[in-house]
Amino acid sequence: MSRIHVNTTINGDATDYLCEAEDTLLDVLRDQLDMTGSKEGCASGDCGACTVRLDGRLVCSCLVLGAEAEGRTVETIEGMADGETLHPLQKNFIDKAALQCGICTPGILVAAKDLLERNPDPTEEEVRYWLAGNLCRCTGYDKIIRTVLETAAEMRGAA
Amino acid sequence: MAKDEFTPRTFKVVGTRPPRPDGLDKVTGRARYGADMSAPGMLIGLCLRSPHAHARIKSIDTSAAEAMKGVKAVVTRADFTTTPEDQGTRDILDNVMAGEKALYDGHTVAAVAATSRSVARAALKAIKVEYEVLPHVVDVDEAMKPDAPVLHEGRQQESVPKGYSQNVLARSQYGHGDIEAGFKKADIIVERSFTTAATHQGYIEPHACLATMGNDGQGDLWCCTQGHYMVRNTCSAILGMDAGRLKVTASEIGGGFGGKTTVFLEPVALMLSKKAGKPVKMTMSRDEVLRASGPTASTSIDIKIGMTKEGKITAAQGEFRYQSGAFYAMNGALGAMCGFAPYDLENLQSVGWEVVTNRPKAAAYRAPGAPMAAFAVESVMDELAKELDMDPIELRLKNAAEEGTKSAYGPTYPAIGLKATLEAAKAHPHWSAPLGKNQGRGLACGFWFNFGGDTCVSLMINPDGTVSLSEGNPDIGGSRAAMTMMAAEELGIPYEHVRTVIADTATLGQNEVTDGSRVTFAVGLATIKAARHAIEIMKTRAAATWGIEPDAVEWVDGAAQPAGPNAGKFPPMTLKEIAAIASNTGGPIAGHHEVNAEGAGVSFGTHIADTEVDPETGAVKVVRYTVFQDAGKAVHPDYVEGQLQGGAVQGIGWALNEEYIYGKDGTLQNAGYLDYRIPVASDLPMIEPVILEIPNPGHPYGVRGVGETGIVPPLATLANAVSRAAGVRMTSLPMSPPKLLAAIKAS
Ligand code: FES
Ligand code: FES
């Protein structure tokens, strides 16, 4: 089977890989690059566990082909912290117990960071609708929503 | 032993909210879940599943698949040559790999391991299965009829009266008193029938494992499970190998809620690996999770309650018919035991029925069997409150069980927290807040047993004075933090000085599955006792150093000190100091504890919901929700709150949206998150948790399990709220918009 050679940028690093035509970006990240932080909950765009940013836009990486990343920039959970320094959302998710099992957490963090970059002062309703594509079965969302709102306030205070 | 029992104390660590030890891994994507592991030379395994609800497997031809390039192993039932000793394990084998018949849509009939997913997929297509399609049944009431298609012959227990299909496997009865006399005394009787649809736990992480089985008879298995000891014991029994030769490591687990308390892929992956001589990784797709893991029972329930006009129950009766899929599961019995458990009843008859149908075998889902029973009983209680024009809380307080009440399922209650949750609900501003247009308020109570079980913990005092704690229960929602806290509390050292890990099956003795809300209670108990064991040793070492009797030493604030002036005058020796010289005072220091923990302490909760019904569409919005639950003692309140909130929202999904929909052909019509819709963030309000602390007499810190009870009241709470908002009694779940709209129109 002939494979496709792809050159892309992942979390700021130039990266290349070979993938089959049918491989999704999620398959490539997880199976070829061992970046297993992005999770597969459904492979059909319904759970958001695989959320990454592609050229600055949120996508379900299970709905993007690996070959489509050619020449583009991909941001995953693995790139969210700056070295040792966690993003305020990451820090607060731990401190405020916004995760239980944690399987939804990478997708939710990537999506919430994107929200706060676009809208530093979201309402509760805006956070709820923004994260409506990210399923969490453990928390009932309460602590997640609160933590995103509190982090937004904290980041506005710091800015 | 008196030491096991609750003794009031002031806590330093327990009750605080420190960051969890696995937090960093989980917010950075480093944590390794079931599907995140790989091995050199690993193959990919996939299952071939029955497209039929019920079919005899006439033949399976795997030759074409086996001949394909890249295919390294194909297995069918013929490869499983061991017959496990007990019926339960034989059922599990029949469930993970079909024998003579495929019993439900999605039942595995063969599996392959190949060098890539695409090759494995092609190989599945090349397997030829000849089926003889049989009549099927998926509905519980239909399955009980004498002429229903039968799944298994000769499995009916003697408890089942004549006149029922062989699909009815068991009947069990609970209660006391004389219901006929009781109903005669009633001023008012309400009798209703209810149905609930099957739902799924909906954990976001599909089942996954990585199996390595060598021809030396040794195996290694990595998997996401609620109990790796259960996985080891079950898989070794199915494969006919010694349990000690299979080492199982639990991955981080992406949700379970009871659904990961059994095996699905694991024995198949081990068999594939054995045949191929290479590691095999298997992961389920979401479609496979819904079609072929372990959803809940669907039910059909009759409830009859009689009351005096003052609101005192005179008699209660329930019939709980549960279908639990293709194999026996004790679910109807649990419903029959739990439904009436909140009440002090003089006359009760409660009957549970276990029925098999052509659906995947039900697994546990948070307090298995109880939410549906509570839905039915608490709906009738609400209707009685309305009929008698009484406050639903007052009505329940009049009948609430308390210490000394003979429970619906037999035993007499010790100190329990039901009345406390009702009083707290009554006093909470939510209960008296005004309601808007088209809104209704519902309230319901719920009960769960809680469990203890086999538990082993090992606690090592490291030379630098830090502590390593090993436990054997996968941590689903912060239990490592809770264990770390209890160890730090008992030893009198900072939280940061203890690190807790989940040991593999070769490292500790047998541990019961993470189920029954048992972990914080039972593993916590064993942790405290392991710490006390280590403290005894440290006291001995200090005594020897000082040349006094060990009895003359006490442990205070993380240090040994002479007990009283007669013991001698020595400055305290801290844990760190004792650890530093351990090598010279007798060697390394470790405590451990092994126990079958009893005294779990039953759990009660009361929920309040406000809902708004759109009379034009039948859509329901939950506008306010409050949970009151007794936690005994909340070790890490954040994670207790999380259990209450998560359980409530799962119950909201069950009440309003979630359901398994089967077509006429018996195949599942909604095997994906798009059509099996679990609640999303925009569906919900904040969920306010109110934790009550009525100490459990059976735990040194008073801890009760909290994981399951939270899902018991919401079905009824929502049904009562929606029924009051819509002005029509809803007796069938889910209360989806079309169903609710039809009910409103018909009223
Ligand atoms: S795995 Fe991509 S949305 Fe679920
Ligand atoms: S924390 Fe488990 S799914 Fe969100």
Side-chain angles (χ1 to χ4, degrees):
Chain A
M1 219 174 306
S2 82
R3 302 210 288 171
I4 303 159
H5 184 212
V6 177
N7 283 289
T8 186
T9 303
I10 301 182
N11 298 329
D13 297 328
T15 308
D16 73 318
Y17 52 80
L18 292 172
C19 66
E20 291 182 19
E22 63 176 54
D23 288 345
T24 66
L25 176 58
L26 180 62
D27 293 335
V28 170
L29 288 171
R30 292 181 52 82
D31 300 339
Q32 301 221 25
L33 304 175
D34 206 20
M35 296 173 74
T36 54
S38 304
K39 305 299 180 190
E40 181 179 307
C42 69
S44 56
D46 298 314
C47 77
C50 64
T51 304
V52 302
R53 273 209 303 207
L54 184 63
D55 283 350
R57 271 190 57 214
L58 285 182
V59 293
C60 295
S61 60
C62 70
L63 297 183
V64 176
L65 290 173
E68 289 180 271
E70 173 66 36
R72 301 169 79 176
T73 36
V74 181
E75 293 164 82
T76 73
I77 185 66
E78 285 89 350
M80 191 159 166
D82 181 9
E84 276 202 315
T85 312
L86 293 181
H87 186 279
L89 279 166
Q90 290 175 301
K91 183 175 180 309
N92 284 340
F93 264 57
I94 303 175
D95 291 347
K96 297 172 193 292
L99 59 133
Q100 281 177 34
C101 80
I103 195 90
C104 67
T105 308
I108 287 183
L109 284 169
V110 170
K113 173 172 177 273
D114 187 69
L115 168 64
L116 298 192
E117 283 168 7
R118 288 165 200 274
N119 178 0
D121 190 8
T123 63
E124 180 188 331
E125 194 172 18
E126 284 170 335
V127 177
R128 286 190 180 275
Y129 276 91
W130 190 267
L131 295 179
N134 290 85
L135 300 180
C136 172
R137 191 59 155 172
C138 297
T139 63
Y141 305 101
D142 184 300
K143 290 188 194 300
I144 293 173
I145 305 298
R146 281 178 202 280
T147 303
V148 173
L149 288 168
E150 286 167 24
T151 308
E154 195 182 297
M155 288 173 74
R156 287 195 306 276
Chain B
M1 262 191 339
K3 264 209 304 197
D4 281 5
E5 283 164 20
F6 171 69
T7 32
R9 60 190 283 161
T10 321
F11 292 105
K12 291 198 170 122
V13 184
V14 166
T16 64
R17 302 175 187 238
R20 61 198 278 173
D22 51 323
L24 183 66
D25 283 351
K26 287 182 175 167
V27 300
T28 52
R30 293 205 303 243
R32 294 253 165 186
Y33 292 82
D36 297 342
M37 194 57 106
S38 48
M42 175 180 92
L43 304 172
I44 299 297
L46 289 177
C47 290
L48 183 68
R49 296 177 182 279
S50 167
H52 305 295
H54 196 191
R56 193 168 306 286
I57 299 168
K58 294 175 76 178
S59 65
I60 304 182
D61 180 359
T62 58
S63 54
E66 275 158 9
M68 286 170 69
K69 239 180 155 174
V71 174
K72 303 294 179 187
V74 181
V75 302
T76 65
R77 182 56 183 273
D79 292 282
F80 292 83
T81 51
T82 304
T83 305
E85 266 169 42
D86 74 289
Q87 184 62 53
T89 313
R90 287 203 294 278
D91 279 355
I92 293 174
L93 171 57
D94 280 338
N95 195 28
V96 302
M97 186 61 74
E100 287 167 14
K101 292 202 292 183
L103 294 166
Y104 54 91
D105 166 35
H107 199 168
T108 302
V109 296
V112 302
T115 48
S116 75
R117 184 166 296 269
S118 50
V119 174
R121 269 197 215 116
L124 290 186
K125 289 209 179 98
I127 298 174
K128 291 185 203 77
V129 186
E130 203 187 334
Y131 292 104
E132 176 196 341
V133 178
L134 302 170
H136 67 273
V137 61
V138 296
D139 177 79
V140 62
D141 292 317
E142 291 299 321
M144 292 176 79
K145 291 181 180 162
D147 57 347
V150 170
L151 275 80
H152 313 280
E153 300 281 350
R155 295 283 293 275
Q156 190 166 69
Q157 296 176 11
E158 281 172 10
S159 55
V160 180
K162 286 208 164 40
Y164 291 98
S165 160
Q166 294 228 38
N167 295 326
V168 182
L169 297 190
R171 175 191 184 277
S172 45
Q173 184 171 328
Y174 304 87
H176 47 259
D178 176 349
I179 53 165
E180 272 177 39
F183 281 121
K184 277 203 190 105
K185 283 193 219 145
D187 298 314
I188 175 171
I189 293 174
V190 169
E191 196 173 356
R192 287 274 188 190
S193 295
F194 300 87
T195 59
T196 67
T199 57
H200 194 274
Q201 301 84 355
Y203 35 81
I204 309 298
E205 180 199 33
H207 299 266
C209 66
L210 172 59
T212 310
M213 191 69 209
N215 64 8
D216 59 355
Q218 300 196 96
D220 277 286
L221 182 63
W222 159 274
C223 60
C224 56
T225 176
Q226 287 177 244
H228 41 309
Y229 292 84
M230 169 278 298
V231 172
R232 178 195 64 179
N233 300 347
T234 309
C235 289
S236 57
I238 286 175
L239 270 79
M241 65 188 287
D242 297 337
R245 296 176 79 79
L246 179 61
K247 184 182 95 178
V248 184
T249 307
S251 70
E252 291 295 340
I253 174 171
F257 316 110
K260 292 175 183 165
T261 56
T262 184
V263 296
F264 297 106
L265 298 174
E266 294 84 351
V268 178
L270 284 165
M271 190 58 87
L272 283 168
S273 174
K274 186 176 175 199
K275 239 179 146 171
K278 287 180 189 298
V280 174
K281 178 169 171 174
M282 297 186 86
T283 55
M284 277 197 197
S285 65
R286 180 56 49 183
D287 168 276
E288 288 177 293
V289 171
L290 287 162
R291 283 166 72 207
S293 62
T296 68
S298 65
T299 73
S300 159
I301 301 173
D302 307 326
I303 300 295
K304 181 178 175 186
I305 299 178
M307 265 183 193
T308 64
K309 49 185 184 309
E310 291 76 34
K312 184 80 192 140
I313 300 173
T314 60
Q317 187 178 8
E319 294 282 326
F320 299 87
R321 297 174 292 271
Y322 285 42
Q323 74 70 28
S324 301
F327 300 94
Y328 173 81
M330 191 176 99
N331 256 314
L334 293 174
M337 287 192 251
C338 294
F340 295 104
Y343 301 111
D344 182 0
L345 301 170
E346 233 172 88
N347 305 298
L348 168 72
Q349 182 184 303
S350 193
V351 177
W353 300 83
E354 318 298 348
V355 184
V356 288
T357 65
N358 295 111
R359 298 186 184 219
K361 181 188 179 208
Y365 179 16
R366 258 190 163 130
M372 315 78 144
F375 159 61
V377 171
E378 293 294 284
S379 292
V380 170
M381 288 296 283
D382 194 60
E383 202 167 341
L384 282 159
K386 267 197 105 179
E387 294 285 327
L388 293 173
D389 198 22
M390 276 185 74
D391 179 279
I393 294 183
E394 293 303 335
L395 184 78
R396 285 174 173 82
L397 279 169
K398 269 201 170 131
N399 296 286
E402 58 190 343
E403 184 167 358
T405 298
K406 183 175 168 58
S407 68
Y409 58 98
T412 299
Y413 289 128
I416 55 172
L418 174 62
K419 280 193 168 169
T421 67
L422 283 163
E423 294 289 358
K426 194 164 96 178
H428 193 279
H430 186 172
W431 188 240
S432 46
L435 284 167
K437 192 164 173 255
N438 295 324
Q439 292 186 351
R441 176 165 300 143
L443 173 136
C445 300
F447 159 88
W448 185 245
F449 304 95
N450 287 348
F451 183 57
D454 286 340
T455 308
C456 297
V457 161
S458 172
L459 183 149
M460 283 72 72
I461 309 289
N462 300 319
D464 68 349
T466 59
V467 170
S468 300
L469 182 71
S470 296
E471 54 143 323
N473 276 94
D475 171 0
I476 309 197
S479 62
R480 262 165 295 191
M483 296 319 137
T484 307
M485 292 170 78
M486 285 187 267
E489 183 78 50
E490 195 63 30
L491 293 167
I493 59 175
Y495 175 79
E496 295 72 26
H497 288 192
V498 184
R499 181 168 183 194
T500 303
V501 300
I502 314 297
D504 62 53
T505 55
T507 308
L508 283 174
Q510 172 72 16
N511 281 278
E512 175 60 48
V513 175
T514 296
D515 68 0
S517 303
R518 72 175 218 93
V519 172
T520 312
F521 164 74
V523 184
L525 180 106
T527 296
I528 292 165
K529 305 262 301 200
R532 288 179 182 172
H533 181 207
I535 287 169
E536 285 312 311
I537 299 169
M538 290 189 285
K539 278 159 61 177
T540 311
R541 301 293 174 88
T545 309
W546 293 328
I548 64 175
E549 287 301 309
D551 291 357
V553 179
E554 60 182 7
W555 190 262
V556 179
D557 285 339
Q561 65 181 35
N566 295 341
K569 232 177 158 341
F570 304 99
M573 274 182 90
T574 63
L575 183 147
K576 190 173 169 145
E577 287 162 352
I578 297 171
I581 57 164
S583 184
N584 300 326
T585 59
I589 301 169
H592 61 96
H593 192 71
E594 296 76 30
V595 66
N596 180 352
E598 289 176 12
V602 299
S603 165
F604 289 93
T606 296
H607 291 197
I608 310 173
D610 294 352
T611 58
E612 186 170 308
V613 171
D614 182 336
E616 274 162 33
T617 62
V620 174
K621 185 145 187 64
V622 182
V623 292
R624 188 168 180 183
Y625 204 100
T626 312
V627 178
F628 305 85
Q629 192 175 315
D630 172 19
K633 175 70 200 169
V635 177
H636 193 309
D638 276 344
Y639 292 108
V640 174
E641 289 167 5
Q643 290 299 314
L644 309 195
Q645 292 166 328
V649 167
Q650 287 185 318
I652 290 171
W654 198 334
L656 297 180
N657 284 314
E658 297 178 31
E659 84 183 287
Y660 263 49
I661 301 169
Y662 279 92
K664 279 209 167 60
D665 61 355
T667 62
L668 185 61
Q669 305 292 294
N670 59 335
Y673 275 138
L674 193 60
D675 300 315
Y676 183 91
R677 189 179 183 285
I678 71 174
V680 305
S682 54
D683 293 338
L684 295 160
M686 293 297 183
I687 308 292
E688 185 182 342
V690 179
I691 301 171
L692 299 155
E693 295 188 327
I694 292 89
N696 170 16
H699 185 278
Y701 296 172
V703 169
R704 288 176 206 272
V706 294
E708 291 165 290
T709 305
I711 205 171
V712 183
L715 281 59
T717 304
L718 268 290
N720 293 342
V722 169
S723 298
R724 283 171 183 258
V728 47
R729 179 57 51 184
M730 295 303 293
T731 55
S732 170
L733 299 186
M735 298 175 287
S736 52
K739 216 191 257 178
L740 181 55
L741 194 59
I744 293 171
K745 287 213 167 120
S747 72

